[in-house]
Amino acid sequence: MSIATAIALALSPAVALQGITFVHGPKPDANGLATEYGNGVCNVSVFRKDAEGREVRAEFSRRLRDGNLSVQVYGPFMVNFRDADMQENFPVTVAFDTGTSAPSRSGGYDVGGFEEYIWGGWGPGAASDATYAALRGKSSFSVEMDGNTYGPFTWTGSGALWTALDDCEADNS
């Protein structure tokens, strides 16, 4: 093997990667929402910018087999929580634009993996059903956890986030 061939083979992965476009996360539609479905779960994301102009994403997830509802918030702020105890329970409260709120049963930090985020979950049953119903007619929410507030997350169309989750469920049931 010639030296030129050896160099070309060694550089080929780096050269090949130059032509690839990496996509990080879902992209919003005209309403400012991104809906995804996979593994029996409907996910609807809404986006905002933080004070430095970096993207923060909140995602509501609804498991179709039992209605379990959860919320996750992804963003560069997570660097502040790399030492957080992932086993400690930090429930979240979702505060809606109408002044109502929905405290979760459980929550916490998910750090150290490929994606880092805060999360809250209501568990299958009445608490998830009530929080899911509370999304109907809303046009924004904030997430509060461990003394920090993330949001407000807003979208176009009152109730559009609930409608996106409901449409996803209808399309995939």
Side-chain angles (χ1 to χ4, degrees):
M1 175 182 332
S2 71
I3 292 176
T5 304
I7 291 173
L9 287 174
L11 291 177
S12 63
V15 172
L17 286 176
Q18 289 179 1
I20 296 175
T21 302
F22 290 97
V23 178
H24 181 65
K27 299 298 175 206
D29 64 10
N31 290 333
L33 302 171
T35 304
E36 298 178 307
Y37 173 79
N39 297 322
V41 178
C42 289
N43 304 298
V44 177
S45 295
V46 60
F47 307 84
R48 73 179 310 270
K49 299 287 185 184
D50 67 9
E52 288 82 39
R54 300 171 299 180
E55 186 175 86
V56 178
R57 174 172 61 102
E59 178 181 273
F60 271 97
S61 300
R62 184 163 163 89
R63 193 168 53 209
L64 300 186
R65 69 179 161 86
D66 61 8
N68 186 28
L69 189 71
S70 65
V71 66
Q72 298 79 232
V73 182
Y74 303 83
F77 63 86
M78 286 302 298
V79 71
N80 301 322
F81 303 108
R82 294 260 165 83
D83 295 328
D85 181 356
M86 292 195 324
Q87 303 306 312
E88 191 169 347
N89 188 25
F90 292 100
V92 305
T93 296
V94 174
F96 297 106
D97 55 336
T98 57
T100 59
S101 62
S104 70
R105 176 187 73 180
S106 56
Y109 297 97
D110 195 335
V111 293
F114 289 108
E115 290 190 297
E116 296 180 321
Y117 51 91
I118 63 170
W119 65 274
W122 286 265
S128 280
D129 294 344
T131 304
Y132 178 62
L135 284 169
R136 188 178 224 152
K138 305 301 186 281
S139 58
S140 72
F141 67 89
S142 294
V143 176
E144 302 164 1
M145 184 181 98
D146 194 21
N148 299 296
T149 300
Y150 308 96
F153 294 93
T154 60
W155 53 89
T156 303
S158 184
L161 195 147
W162 180 88
T163 300
L165 278 171
D166 193 58
D167 289 350
C168 177
E169 186 170 348
D171 291 346
N172 295 291
S173 291

PDB file of all heavy atoms in Angstrom, residues 54-85:
ATOM      1  N   ARG A  54     -29.871  30.804  23.267  1.00  0.00           N
ATOM      2  CA  ARG A  54     -29.717  29.373  22.991  1.00  0.00           C
ATOM      3  C   ARG A  54     -31.057  28.674  23.155  1.00  0.00           C
ATOM      4  O   ARG A  54     -31.861  29.046  24.000  1.00  0.00           O
ATOM      5  CB  ARG A  54     -28.683  28.763  23.935  1.00  0.00           C
ATOM      6  CG  ARG A  54     -27.311  29.423  23.777  1.00  0.00           C
ATOM      7  CD  ARG A  54     -26.363  28.969  24.840  1.00  0.00           C
ATOM      8  NE  ARG A  54     -26.915  29.365  26.142  1.00  0.00           N
ATOM      9  CZ  ARG A  54     -26.307  29.118  27.300  1.00  0.00           C
ATOM     10  NH1 ARG A  54     -25.181  28.460  27.342  1.00  0.00           N
ATOM     11  NH2 ARG A  54     -26.860  29.509  28.441  1.00  0.00           N
ATOM     12  N   GLU A  55     -31.273  27.635  22.362  1.00  0.00           N
ATOM     13  CA  GLU A  55     -32.558  26.932  22.360  1.00  0.00           C
ATOM     14  C   GLU A  55     -32.780  26.098  23.619  1.00  0.00           C
ATOM     15  O   GLU A  55     -31.900  25.380  24.071  1.00  0.00           O
ATOM     16  CB  GLU A  55     -32.648  26.034  21.138  1.00  0.00           C
ATOM     17  CG  GLU A  55     -34.018  25.379  20.986  1.00  0.00           C
ATOM     18  CD  GLU A  55     -34.136  24.596  19.708  1.00  0.00           C
ATOM     19  OE1 GLU A  55     -33.736  23.420  19.707  1.00  0.00           O
ATOM     20  OE2 GLU A  55     -34.613  25.182  18.725  1.00  0.00           O
ATOM     21  N   VAL A  56     -33.985  26.217  24.163  1.00  0.00           N
ATOM     22  CA  VAL A  56     -34.464  25.378  25.263  1.00  0.00           C
ATOM     23  C   VAL A  56     -35.732  24.715  24.744  1.00  0.00           C
ATOM     24  O   VAL A  56     -36.559  25.353  24.098  1.00  0.00           O
ATOM     25  CB  VAL A  56     -34.757  26.217  26.527  1.00  0.00           C
ATOM     26  CG1 VAL A  56     -35.302  25.333  27.640  1.00  0.00           C
ATOM     27  CG2 VAL A  56     -33.501  26.958  26.981  1.00  0.00           C
ATOM     28  N   ARG A  57     -35.872  23.419  25.015  1.00  0.00           N
ATOM     29  CA  ARG A  57     -37.023  22.664  24.508  1.00  0.00           C
ATOM     30  C   ARG A  57     -37.733  21.968  25.654  1.00  0.00           C
ATOM     31  O   ARG A  57     -37.113  21.315  26.487  1.00  0.00           O
ATOM     32  CB  ARG A  57     -36.548  21.624  23.500  1.00  0.00           C
ATOM     33  CG  ARG A  57     -37.634  20.689  23.004  1.00  0.00           C
ATOM     34  CD  ARG A  57     -37.165  19.803  21.865  1.00  0.00           C
ATOM     35  NE  ARG A  57     -36.067  18.936  22.179  1.00  0.00           N
ATOM     36  CZ  ARG A  57     -36.169  17.636  22.436  1.00  0.00           C
ATOM     37  NH1 ARG A  57     -37.348  17.052  22.427  1.00  0.00           N
ATOM     38  NH2 ARG A  57     -35.105  16.915  22.690  1.00  0.00           N
ATOM     39  N   ALA A  58     -39.043  22.134  25.696  1.00  0.00           N
ATOM     40  CA  ALA A  58     -39.879  21.388  26.642  1.00  0.00           C
ATOM     41  C   ALA A  58     -40.695  20.396  25.834  1.00  0.00           C
ATOM     42  O   ALA A  58     -41.187  20.714  24.753  1.00  0.00           O
ATOM     43  CB  ALA A  58     -40.798  22.329  27.412  1.00  0.00           C
ATOM     44  N   GLU A  59     -40.829  19.192  26.372  1.00  0.00           N
ATOM     45  CA  GLU A  59     -41.529  18.134  25.649  1.00  0.00           C
ATOM     46  C   GLU A  59     -42.500  17.426  26.575  1.00  0.00           C
ATOM     47  O   GLU A  59     -42.104  16.929  27.631  1.00  0.00           O
ATOM     48  CB  GLU A  59     -40.500  17.139  25.113  1.00  0.00           C
ATOM     49  CG  GLU A  59     -41.085  15.956  24.390  1.00  0.00           C
ATOM     50  CD  GLU A  59     -40.000  15.021  23.933  1.00  0.00           C
ATOM     51  OE1 GLU A  59     -39.477  15.244  22.827  1.00  0.00           O
ATOM     52  OE2 GLU A  59     -39.649  14.089  24.701  1.00  0.00           O
ATOM     53  N   PHE A  60     -43.764  17.394  26.176  1.00  0.00           N
ATOM     54  CA  PHE A  60     -44.755  16.567  26.860  1.00  0.00           C
ATOM     55  C   PHE A  60     -44.805  15.230  26.145  1.00  0.00           C
ATOM     56  O   PHE A  60     -44.822  15.172  24.914  1.00  0.00           O
ATOM     57  CB  PHE A  60     -46.149  17.210  26.831  1.00  0.00           C
ATOM     58  CG  PHE A  60     -46.410  18.113  27.988  1.00  0.00           C
ATOM     59  CD1 PHE A  60     -46.239  19.480  27.870  1.00  0.00           C
ATOM     60  CD2 PHE A  60     -46.820  17.594  29.214  1.00  0.00           C
ATOM     61  CE1 PHE A  60     -46.479  20.320  28.947  1.00  0.00           C
ATOM     62  CE2 PHE A  60     -47.058  18.426  30.297  1.00  0.00           C
ATOM     63  CZ  PHE A  60     -46.883  19.796  30.159  1.00  0.00           C
ATOM     64  N   SER A  61     -44.829  14.145  26.926  1.00  0.00           N
ATOM     65  CA  SER A  61     -44.906  12.792  26.385  1.00  0.00           C
ATOM     66  C   SER A  61     -46.098  12.088  27.007  1.00  0.00           C
ATOM     67  O   SER A  61     -46.319  12.185  28.211  1.00  0.00           O
ATOM     68  CB  SER A  61     -43.635  12.004  26.706  1.00  0.00           C
ATOM     69  OG  SER A  61     -42.504  12.637  26.159  1.00  0.00           O
ATOM     70  N   ARG A  62     -46.838  11.375  26.161  1.00  0.00           N
ATOM     71  CA  ARG A  62     -47.993  10.612  26.644  1.00  0.00           C
ATOM     72  C   ARG A  62     -47.887   9.186  26.121  1.00  0.00           C
ATOM     73  O   ARG A  62     -47.879   8.950  24.912  1.00  0.00           O
ATOM     74  CB  ARG A  62     -49.286  11.254  26.171  1.00  0.00           C
ATOM     75  CG  ARG A  62     -50.539  10.573  26.703  1.00  0.00           C
ATOM     76  CD  ARG A  62     -51.732  11.504  26.549  1.00  0.00           C
ATOM     77  NE  ARG A  62     -53.008  10.844  26.656  1.00  0.00           N
ATOM     78  CZ  ARG A  62     -53.668  10.653  27.792  1.00  0.00           C
ATOM     79  NH1 ARG A  62     -53.152  11.068  28.926  1.00  0.00           N
ATOM     80  NH2 ARG A  62     -54.843  10.062  27.795  1.00  0.00           N
ATOM     81  N   ARG A  63     -47.761   8.238  27.054  1.00  0.00           N
ATOM     82  CA  ARG A  63     -47.683   6.819  26.701  1.00  0.00           C
ATOM     83  C   ARG A  63     -49.095   6.333  26.411  1.00  0.00           C
ATOM     84  O   ARG A  63     -49.988   6.455  27.244  1.00  0.00           O
ATOM     85  CB  ARG A  63     -47.033   6.043  27.845  1.00  0.00           C
ATOM     86  CG  ARG A  63     -46.636   4.646  27.469  1.00  0.00           C
ATOM     87  CD  ARG A  63     -45.757   4.003  28.511  1.00  0.00           C
ATOM     88  NE  ARG A  63     -46.357   4.070  29.833  1.00  0.00           N
ATOM     89  CZ  ARG A  63     -45.648   4.114  30.969  1.00  0.00           C
ATOM     90  NH1 ARG A  63     -44.338   4.138  30.939  1.00  0.00           N
ATOM     91  NH2 ARG A  63     -46.270   4.147  32.137  1.00  0.00           N
ATOM     92  N   LEU A  64     -49.294   5.771  25.216  1.00  0.00           N
ATOM     93  CA  LEU A  64     -50.640   5.433  24.770  1.00  0.00           C
ATOM     94  C   LEU A  64     -51.266   4.260  25.521  1.00  0.00           C
ATOM     95  O   LEU A  64     -52.473   4.246  25.728  1.00  0.00           O
ATOM     96  CB  LEU A  64     -50.651   5.150  23.268  1.00  0.00           C
ATOM     97  CG  LEU A  64     -50.197   6.311  22.378  1.00  0.00           C
ATOM     98  CD1 LEU A  64     -50.391   5.966  20.915  1.00  0.00           C
ATOM     99  CD2 LEU A  64     -50.923   7.594  22.736  1.00  0.00           C
ATOM    100  N   ARG A  65     -50.494   3.304  25.970  1.00  0.00           N
ATOM    101  CA  ARG A  65     -51.087   2.117  26.588  1.00  0.00           C
ATOM    102  C   ARG A  65     -51.725   2.399  27.941  1.00  0.00           C
ATOM    103  O   ARG A  65     -52.638   1.704  28.352  1.00  0.00           O
ATOM    104  CB  ARG A  65     -50.080   0.985  26.691  1.00  0.00           C
ATOM    105  CG  ARG A  65     -48.966   1.192  27.664  1.00  0.00           C
ATOM    106  CD  ARG A  65     -48.044  -0.040  27.688  1.00  0.00           C
ATOM    107  NE  ARG A  65     -46.765   0.269  28.235  1.00  0.00           N
ATOM    108  CZ  ARG A  65     -46.484   0.241  29.526  1.00  0.00           C
ATOM    109  NH1 ARG A  65     -47.407  -0.083  30.399  1.00  0.00           N
ATOM    110  NH2 ARG A  65     -45.277   0.534  29.947  1.00  0.00           N
ATOM    111  N   ASP A  66     -51.250   3.453  28.648  1.00  0.00           N
ATOM    112  CA  ASP A  66     -51.819   3.719  29.974  1.00  0.00           C
ATOM    113  C   ASP A  66     -52.046   5.195  30.270  1.00  0.00           C
ATOM    114  O   ASP A  66     -52.489   5.547  31.360  1.00  0.00           O
ATOM    115  CB  ASP A  66     -50.958   3.090  31.067  1.00  0.00           C
ATOM    116  CG  ASP A  66     -49.543   3.638  31.104  1.00  0.00           C
ATOM    117  OD1 ASP A  66     -49.230   4.614  30.390  1.00  0.00           O
ATOM    118  OD2 ASP A  66     -48.731   3.088  31.877  1.00  0.00           O
ATOM    119  N   GLY A  67     -51.754   6.081  29.307  1.00  0.00           N
ATOM    120  CA  GLY A  67     -52.005   7.505  29.497  1.00  0.00           C
ATOM    121  C   GLY A  67     -50.990   8.223  30.361  1.00  0.00           C
ATOM    122  O   GLY A  67     -51.165   9.401  30.685  1.00  0.00           O
ATOM    123  N   ASN A  68     -49.910   7.545  30.766  1.00  0.00           N
ATOM    124  CA  ASN A  68     -48.887   8.181  31.594  1.00  0.00           C
ATOM    125  C   ASN A  68     -48.354   9.433  30.896  1.00  0.00           C
ATOM    126  O   ASN A  68     -47.947   9.386  29.745  1.00  0.00           O
ATOM    127  CB  ASN A  68     -47.748   7.198  31.859  1.00  0.00           C
ATOM    128  CG  ASN A  68     -46.722   7.753  32.829  1.00  0.00           C
ATOM    129  OD1 ASN A  68     -47.026   8.575  33.675  1.00  0.00           O
ATOM    130  ND2 ASN A  68     -45.501   7.282  32.688  1.00  0.00           N
ATOM    131  N   LEU A  69     -48.380  10.574  31.593  1.00  0.00           N
ATOM    132  CA  LEU A  69     -47.934  11.852  31.053  1.00  0.00           C
ATOM    133  C   LEU A  69     -46.659  12.284  31.758  1.00  0.00           C
ATOM    134  O   LEU A  69     -46.533  12.131  32.978  1.00  0.00           O
ATOM    135  CB  LEU A  69     -49.020  12.913  31.249  1.00  0.00           C
ATOM    136  CG  LEU A  69     -48.792  14.256  30.559  1.00  0.00           C
ATOM    137  CD1 LEU A  69     -48.952  14.109  29.040  1.00  0.00           C
ATOM    138  CD2 LEU A  69     -49.786  15.286  31.083  1.00  0.00           C
ATOM    139  N   SER A  70     -45.718  12.816  30.987  1.00  0.00           N
ATOM    140  CA  SER A  70     -44.481  13.342  31.567  1.00  0.00           C
ATOM    141  C   SER A  70     -44.064  14.592  30.807  1.00  0.00           C
ATOM    142  O   SER A  70     -44.555  14.868  29.711  1.00  0.00           O
ATOM    143  CB  SER A  70     -43.362  12.294  31.528  1.00  0.00           C
ATOM    144  OG  SER A  70     -43.006  11.991  30.199  1.00  0.00           O
ATOM    145  N   VAL A  71     -43.173  15.351  31.404  1.00  0.00           N
ATOM    146  CA  VAL A  71     -42.610  16.532  30.768  1.00  0.00           C
ATOM    147  C   VAL A  71     -41.095  16.476  30.957  1.00  0.00           C
ATOM    148  O   VAL A  71     -40.608  16.024  32.000  1.00  0.00           O
ATOM    149  CB  VAL A  71     -43.204  17.847  31.341  1.00  0.00           C
ATOM    150  CG1 VAL A  71     -42.824  18.062  32.797  1.00  0.00           C
ATOM    151  CG2 VAL A  71     -42.822  19.050  30.492  1.00  0.00           C
ATOM    152  N   GLN A  72     -40.373  16.868  29.933  1.00  0.00           N
ATOM    153  CA  GLN A  72     -38.925  16.965  29.976  1.00  0.00           C
ATOM    154  C   GLN A  72     -38.542  18.355  29.485  1.00  0.00           C
ATOM    155  O   GLN A  72     -39.185  18.883  28.585  1.00  0.00           O
ATOM    156  CB  GLN A  72     -38.250  15.933  29.064  1.00  0.00           C
ATOM    157  CG  GLN A  72     -38.506  14.494  29.411  1.00  0.00           C
ATOM    158  CD  GLN A  72     -39.858  14.002  28.940  1.00  0.00           C
ATOM    159  OE1 GLN A  72     -40.595  13.461  29.733  1.00  0.00           O
ATOM    160  NE2 GLN A  72     -40.241  14.203  27.693  1.00  0.00           N
ATOM    161  N   VAL A  73     -37.469  18.925  30.059  1.00  0.00           N
ATOM    162  CA  VAL A  73     -36.957  20.208  29.585  1.00  0.00           C
ATOM    163  C   VAL A  73     -35.471  20.023  29.294  1.00  0.00           C
ATOM    164  O   VAL A  73     -34.703  19.607  30.167  1.00  0.00           O
ATOM    165  CB  VAL A  73     -37.172  21.341  30.611  1.00  0.00           C
ATOM    166  CG1 VAL A  73     -36.650  22.662  30.040  1.00  0.00           C
ATOM    167  CG2 VAL A  73     -38.641  21.462  30.989  1.00  0.00           C
ATOM    168  N   TYR A  74     -35.092  20.303  28.041  1.00  0.00           N
ATOM    169  CA  TYR A  74     -33.723  20.162  27.565  1.00  0.00           C
ATOM    170  C   TYR A  74     -33.142  21.553  27.330  1.00  0.00           C
ATOM    171  O   TYR A  74     -33.839  22.425  26.811  1.00  0.00           O
ATOM    172  CB  TYR A  74     -33.693  19.433  26.219  1.00  0.00           C
ATOM    173  CG  TYR A  74     -34.331  18.074  26.213  1.00  0.00           C
ATOM    174  CD1 TYR A  74     -35.713  17.927  26.073  1.00  0.00           C
ATOM    175  CD2 TYR A  74     -33.555  16.929  26.331  1.00  0.00           C
ATOM    176  CE1 TYR A  74     -36.298  16.673  26.053  1.00  0.00           C
ATOM    177  CE2 TYR A  74     -34.141  15.672  26.313  1.00  0.00           C
ATOM    178  CZ  TYR A  74     -35.508  15.558  26.171  1.00  0.00           C
ATOM    179  OH  TYR A  74     -36.096  14.325  26.158  1.00  0.00           O
ATOM    180  N   GLY A  75     -31.881  21.753  27.655  1.00  0.00           N
ATOM    181  CA  GLY A  75     -31.262  23.036  27.358  1.00  0.00           C
ATOM    182  C   GLY A  75     -29.858  23.133  27.913  1.00  0.00           C
ATOM    183  O   GLY A  75     -29.414  22.295  28.709  1.00  0.00           O
ATOM    184  N   PRO A  76     -29.167  24.189  27.513  1.00  0.00           N
ATOM    185  CA  PRO A  76     -27.783  24.374  27.956  1.00  0.00           C
ATOM    186  C   PRO A  76     -27.659  24.618  29.457  1.00  0.00           C
ATOM    187  O   PRO A  76     -26.579  24.453  30.018  1.00  0.00           O
ATOM    188  CB  PRO A  76     -27.308  25.585  27.159  1.00  0.00           C
ATOM    189  CG  PRO A  76     -28.539  26.279  26.689  1.00  0.00           C
ATOM    190  CD  PRO A  76     -29.605  25.239  26.596  1.00  0.00           C
ATOM    191  N   PHE A  77     -28.746  24.962  30.135  1.00  0.00           N
ATOM    192  CA  PHE A  77     -28.728  25.172  31.578  1.00  0.00           C
ATOM    193  C   PHE A  77     -28.327  23.906  32.328  1.00  0.00           C
ATOM    194  O   PHE A  77     -27.904  23.959  33.490  1.00  0.00           O
ATOM    195  CB  PHE A  77     -30.103  25.656  32.074  1.00  0.00           C
ATOM    196  CG  PHE A  77     -31.193  24.655  31.866  1.00  0.00           C
ATOM    197  CD1 PHE A  77     -31.450  23.665  32.797  1.00  0.00           C
ATOM    198  CD2 PHE A  77     -31.959  24.688  30.704  1.00  0.00           C
ATOM    199  CE1 PHE A  77     -32.449  22.730  32.575  1.00  0.00           C
ATOM    200  CE2 PHE A  77     -32.964  23.761  30.486  1.00  0.00           C
ATOM    201  CZ  PHE A  77     -33.201  22.773  31.432  1.00  0.00           C
ATOM    202  N   MET A  78     -28.468  22.755  31.695  1.00  0.00           N
ATOM    203  CA  MET A  78     -28.185  21.484  32.361  1.00  0.00           C
ATOM    204  C   MET A  78     -26.733  21.359  32.805  1.00  0.00           C
ATOM    205  O   MET A  78     -26.438  20.588  33.716  1.00  0.00           O
ATOM    206  CB  MET A  78     -28.562  20.304  31.459  1.00  0.00           C
ATOM    207  CG  MET A  78     -30.059  20.080  31.343  1.00  0.00           C
ATOM    208  SD  MET A  78     -30.888  19.782  32.923  1.00  0.00           S
ATOM    209  CE  MET A  78     -30.096  18.286  33.486  1.00  0.00           C
ATOM    210  N   VAL A  79     -25.840  22.122  32.213  1.00  0.00           N
ATOM    211  CA  VAL A  79     -24.437  22.080  32.633  1.00  0.00           C
ATOM    212  C   VAL A  79     -24.313  22.442  34.120  1.00  0.00           C
ATOM    213  O   VAL A  79     -23.389  21.979  34.791  1.00  0.00           O
ATOM    214  CB  VAL A  79     -23.561  22.991  31.726  1.00  0.00           C
ATOM    215  CG1 VAL A  79     -23.836  24.461  31.983  1.00  0.00           C
ATOM    216  CG2 VAL A  79     -22.106  22.668  31.905  1.00  0.00           C
ATOM    217  N   ASN A  80     -25.252  23.198  34.649  1.00  0.00           N
ATOM    218  CA  ASN A  80     -25.227  23.585  36.061  1.00  0.00           C
ATOM    219  C   ASN A  80     -25.604  22.443  36.998  1.00  0.00           C
ATOM    220  O   ASN A  80     -25.430  22.558  38.213  1.00  0.00           O
ATOM    221  CB  ASN A  80     -26.193  24.749  36.305  1.00  0.00           C
ATOM    222  CG  ASN A  80     -25.858  25.951  35.474  1.00  0.00           C
ATOM    223  OD1 ASN A  80     -24.691  26.270  35.262  1.00  0.00           O
ATOM    224  ND2 ASN A  80     -26.876  26.631  34.989  1.00  0.00           N
ATOM    225  N   PHE A  81     -26.129  21.352  36.454  1.00  0.00           N
ATOM    226  CA  PHE A  81     -26.643  20.272  37.286  1.00  0.00           C
ATOM    227  C   PHE A  81     -25.932  18.949  37.058  1.00  0.00           C
ATOM    228  O   PHE A  81     -26.451  17.897  37.410  1.00  0.00           O
ATOM    229  CB  PHE A  81     -28.151  20.116  37.046  1.00  0.00           C
ATOM    230  CG  PHE A  81     -28.906  21.382  37.311  1.00  0.00           C
ATOM    231  CD1 PHE A  81     -29.430  22.113  36.259  1.00  0.00           C
ATOM    232  CD2 PHE A  81     -29.054  21.860  38.598  1.00  0.00           C
ATOM    233  CE1 PHE A  81     -30.118  23.293  36.495  1.00  0.00           C
ATOM    234  CE2 PHE A  81     -29.728  23.036  38.846  1.00  0.00           C
ATOM    235  CZ  PHE A  81     -30.256  23.761  37.790  1.00  0.00           C
ATOM    236  N   ARG A  82     -24.733  18.969  36.513  1.00  0.00           N
ATOM    237  CA  ARG A  82     -24.008  17.730  36.226  1.00  0.00           C
ATOM    238  C   ARG A  82     -23.736  16.901  37.473  1.00  0.00           C
ATOM    239  O   ARG A  82     -23.597  15.695  37.400  1.00  0.00           O
ATOM    240  CB  ARG A  82     -22.699  18.040  35.509  1.00  0.00           C
ATOM    241  CG  ARG A  82     -22.888  18.630  34.132  1.00  0.00           C
ATOM    242  CD  ARG A  82     -22.710  17.583  33.061  1.00  0.00           C
ATOM    243  NE  ARG A  82     -23.208  18.007  31.783  1.00  0.00           N
ATOM    244  CZ  ARG A  82     -22.565  18.761  30.909  1.00  0.00           C
ATOM    245  NH1 ARG A  82     -21.367  19.226  31.200  1.00  0.00           N
ATOM    246  NH2 ARG A  82     -23.117  19.067  29.751  1.00  0.00           N
ATOM    247  N   ASP A  83     -23.666  17.546  38.634  1.00  0.00           N
ATOM    248  CA  ASP A  83     -23.404  16.825  39.879  1.00  0.00           C
ATOM    249  C   ASP A  83     -24.684  16.483  40.633  1.00  0.00           C
ATOM    250  O   ASP A  83     -24.623  16.009  41.764  1.00  0.00           O
ATOM    251  CB  ASP A  83     -22.486  17.659  40.786  1.00  0.00           C
ATOM    252  CG  ASP A  83     -21.102  17.846  40.171  1.00  0.00           C
ATOM    253  OD1 ASP A  83     -20.643  16.939  39.447  1.00  0.00           O
ATOM    254  OD2 ASP A  83     -20.490  18.898  40.412  1.00  0.00           O
ATOM    255  N   ALA A  84     -25.837  16.705  40.031  1.00  0.00           N
ATOM    256  CA  ALA A  84     -27.112  16.442  40.701  1.00  0.00           C
ATOM    257  C   ALA A  84     -27.286  14.945  40.957  1.00  0.00           C
ATOM    258  O   ALA A  84     -26.828  14.108  40.182  1.00  0.00           O
ATOM    259  CB  ALA A  84     -28.271  16.955  39.853  1.00  0.00           C
ATOM    260  N   ASP A  85     -27.934  14.637  42.037  1.00  0.00           N
ATOM    261  CA  ASP A  85     -28.230  13.249  42.398  1.00  0.00           C
ATOM    262  C   ASP A  85     -29.428  12.779  41.572  1.00  0.00           C
ATOM    263  O   ASP A  85     -30.544  13.249  41.780  1.00  0.00           O
ATOM    264  CB  ASP A  85     -28.534  13.154  43.883  1.00  0.00           C
ATOM    265  CG  ASP A  85     -28.820  11.737  44.358  1.00  0.00           C
ATOM    266  OD1 ASP A  85     -28.855  10.806  43.519  1.00  0.00           O
ATOM    267  OD2 ASP A  85     -28.999  11.568  45.573  1.00  0.00           O
TER     268      ASP A  85
END
